[in-house]
Amino acid sequence: MITDDFIDRMADKCLRSDAELDAALCDPQPKRIQTVNLHHLALADRDPIFAATIEAADYISADGWPIVTLMRSRGVRTQRVTGSALVHRMIGSRTFAGLKVAILGADREVGDDVRGMFHDAGMLVEFRDHGRRDAWDPRGLARRLVADDVEMLLIAVTPPFGDRIGEAIRRCGYHGVIVNVGGSLNMVTGAAQMAPAWVRATRTEWLFRLLQEPRRLFRRYLIECPPVFLKHVLPTYWRRSRTVAPETLRDGFAQPHEDLSRAA
């Protein structure tokens, strides 16, 4: 169940901008970064194991204005930080040149395209697995990642499985950087359509995606997410008095909550 304390702990480790996310990724210390959107909270509200997975992440980023609203209500001056924007930066600059990367998930054709894009940006894709996720063995994957000296694992799998397998791989001995980017690889390769800028600006990206994939997303957007939005997000959105004064908003690099390593 989602509680105020749970949201407070998310705020304690929230990365506030793309620049902070990139800095965390370039830092070689082991870490798992989890993007959190409203669907993540809906899953965590009814699944304590998935809630513990969010708790166990070293950092989170706010994907979508509902999570941005929640973080700002806790005094965190955050922007929307998404996996798709990260992948676009990775292929559009030399910031991550020389990085050894692995890809877990997505279709093989998408993986082929992304591998070429990463190569053009100076990165090395040392390992990728586009097979059946029910056949993935966290111990075997961790050993392979260590053997290939992979520095960053990108998991292109939707929640809750993608975040769970990432945490399991870390617990099995992989000490690199783990980031779940969900369907971002599909978007950058054109396998899935990204919402236009005006849709994102009007906060109706969920409707855009629902119209694209109604059978897959109907339950998520119209049944699972609304109760969490009404209970946790809407009150903070309308009650501006809950937001602390601007001069007390927290800036700087987020620090992981000291108890998270024991959360799961």
Side-chain angles (χ1 to χ4, degrees):
M1 177 178 290
I2 300 301
T3 64
D4 284 343
D5 286 343
F6 181 90
I7 297 171
D8 288 343
R9 291 193 292 272
M10 284 175 47
D12 286 342
K13 55 182 179 177
C14 180
L15 296 168
R16 298 162 175 82
S17 64
D18 290 338
E20 283 199 357
L21 173 59
D22 291 353
L25 295 175
C26 291
D27 175 8
Q29 293 298 315
K31 61 183 70 70
R32 185 174 68 82
I33 300 172
Q34 181 161 341
T35 297
V36 176
N37 57 32
L38 189 61
H39 182 224
H40 286 83
L41 287 191
L43 292 171
D45 199 42
R46 66 175 190 268
D47 182 353
I49 296 177
F50 186 66
T53 302
I54 296 177
E55 294 260 39
D58 297 289
Y59 299 105
I60 66 109
S61 68
D63 181 1
W65 72 268
I67 308 303
V68 170
T69 297
L70 279 179
M71 296 299 96
R72 289 182 177 177
S73 76
R74 266 60 179 181
V76 179
R77 196 197 309 268
T78 188
Q79 303 167 3
R80 185 184 181 192
V81 180
T82 69
S84 58
L86 166 63
V87 177
H88 276 291
R89 292 196 304 279
M90 292 177 72
I91 64 178
S93 72
R94 306 286 294 185
T95 302
F96 299 96
L99 191 70
K100 295 181 178 180
V101 181
I103 300 171
L104 188 64
D107 295 333
R108 179 165 297 279
E109 293 77 10
V110 169
D112 291 340
D113 291 342
V114 171
R115 182 175 185 175
M117 293 175 179
F118 281 1
H119 179 270
D120 292 343
M123 290 172 281
L124 304 172
V125 178
E126 298 287 348
F127 167 72
R128 56 194 181 116
D129 189 332
H130 308 292
R132 292 174 55 88
R133 68 184 193 181
D134 56 4
W136 289 340
D137 171 30
R139 290 183 178 83
L141 289 169
R143 286 194 297 267
R144 176 67 184 271
L145 294 168
V146 171
D148 289 343
D149 197 25
V150 169
E151 297 169 283
M152 182 189 299
L153 170 62
L154 296 179
I155 302 179
V157 182
T158 54
F161 186 85
D163 304 288
R164 286 178 177 172
I165 190 70
E167 180 61 22
I169 290 170
R170 176 166 73 162
R171 290 174 180 267
C172 288
Y174 173 61
H175 300 301
V177 177
I178 302 173
V179 191
N180 194 309
V181 295
S184 299
L185 302 189
N186 289 347
M187 293 181 183
V188 300
T189 60
Q193 186 178 359
M194 182 175 292
W198 70 267
V199 171
R200 299 194 297 272
T202 56
R203 300 178 175 178
T204 55
E205 189 172 357
W206 66 273
L207 180 58
F208 177 85
R209 295 187 61 197
L210 177 62
L211 293 175
Q212 284 187 310
E213 302 181 80
R215 296 185 65 179
R216 185 174 76 87
L217 297 177
F218 177 87
R219 180 175 180 82
R220 176 191 300 187
Y221 288 153
L222 299 183
I223 297 177
E224 296 175 353
C225 289
V228 175
F229 177 82
L230 293 173
K231 180 178 179 181
H232 296 287
V233 180
L234 193 60
T236 64
Y237 185 72
W238 290 111
R239 291 205 308 270
R240 293 303 187 183
S241 60
R242 289 190 60 183
T243 306
V244 297
E247 62 270 17
T248 65
L249 288 171
R250 288 175 280 175
D251 289 312
F253 200 76
Q255 295 297 321
H257 193 282
E258 62 182 1
D259 293 331
L260 289 176
S261 61
R262 299 187 293 272

